[in-house]
Amino acid sequence: MSAEKSRKAAGSLYILTPSVLLERKFPMKEMYALLKKAGLCFLATCEDGQPRVRPIDSVRLYGERLYFQTGRLKAVSRQLHANPRLELCTLPDSGSWLRIEGSAVLDNDPAVRALMPQTCPGCGGADKIELWYLRKGAVTLYPPDEPPETHWF
């Protein structure tokens, strides 16, 4: 079944069936390029049922993993340890926006640490930085005047 035939219209929102989504793998390099083009993205976590959102700009690609960093002493660290589900949102160009949803996995591999900036405002120094990568999620691109496109990673 083609992707077009598998889409079901629900108002202006298009719902993709699981078989179509599995066909639409999104390369990490493309996701990283869109995040870097935007320069700044927003990370959403949850604490006690309350959404928490903050800007981040320390996203890096290492192999096939998309990494970001947080401070060990910051609330975002506690939130990710308690619930690793997150969303990133950014505006890669005028008129479109990108939402990434997935799970964060802690990874303090020294090889990855060497690639990340060793600054994190309010973190308390390089030894207080945690590295996280995204796992098992979806990327949805919302272009202007077109239905959104969802892909898995």
Side-chain angles (χ1 to χ4, degrees):
M1 182 181 291
S2 76
E4 288 303 312
K5 289 181 181 177
S6 297
R7 290 184 184 188
K8 298 177 182 175
S12 61
L13 176 68
Y14 282 76
I15 300 167
L16 297 174
T17 63
S19 62
V20 172
L21 289 173
L22 290 174
E23 294 171 12
R24 303 180 83 180
K25 288 288 266 185
F26 200 80
M28 281 290 171
K29 287 182 182 179
E30 287 183 38
M31 190 182 332
Y32 177 68
L34 288 170
L35 289 170
K36 291 311 288 180
K37 182 178 180 181
L40 183 69
C41 61
F42 294 87
L43 170 65
T45 57
C46 190
E47 181 175 50
D48 298 327
Q50 178 67 40
R52 303 290 182 201
V53 181
R54 79 277 298 146
I56 64 169
D57 65 355
S58 60
V59 177
R60 297 286 185 275
L61 185 67
Y62 185 68
E64 285 297 311
R65 292 182 175 166
L66 190 66
Y67 282 86
F68 64 95
Q69 64 187 22
T70 64
R72 236 180 247 150
L73 305 177
K74 289 189 166 196
V76 65
S77 174
R78 285 192 316 275
Q79 294 156 8
L80 289 172
H81 281 283
N83 178 1
R85 301 286 303 153
L86 62 80
E87 288 195 1
L88 293 170
C89 186
T90 193
L91 304 164
D93 53 46
S94 64
S96 67
W97 58 285
L98 180 77
R99 177 186 295 157
I100 303 168
E101 56 185 282
S103 293
V105 177
L106 184 63
D107 182 1
N108 282 311
D109 179 340
V112 178
R113 183 173 288 281
L115 296 176
M116 296 295 286
Q118 295 301 303
T119 60
C120 179
C123 292
D127 61 326
K128 304 272 191 306
I129 294 173
E130 292 180 326
L131 302 176
W132 301 83
Y133 68 87
L134 294 177
R135 175 182 75 175
K136 293 182 183 175
V139 178
T140 304
L141 180 61
Y142 296 85
D145 305 321
E146 294 179 36
E149 296 177 24
T150 300
H151 306 266
W152 294 106
F153 65 90

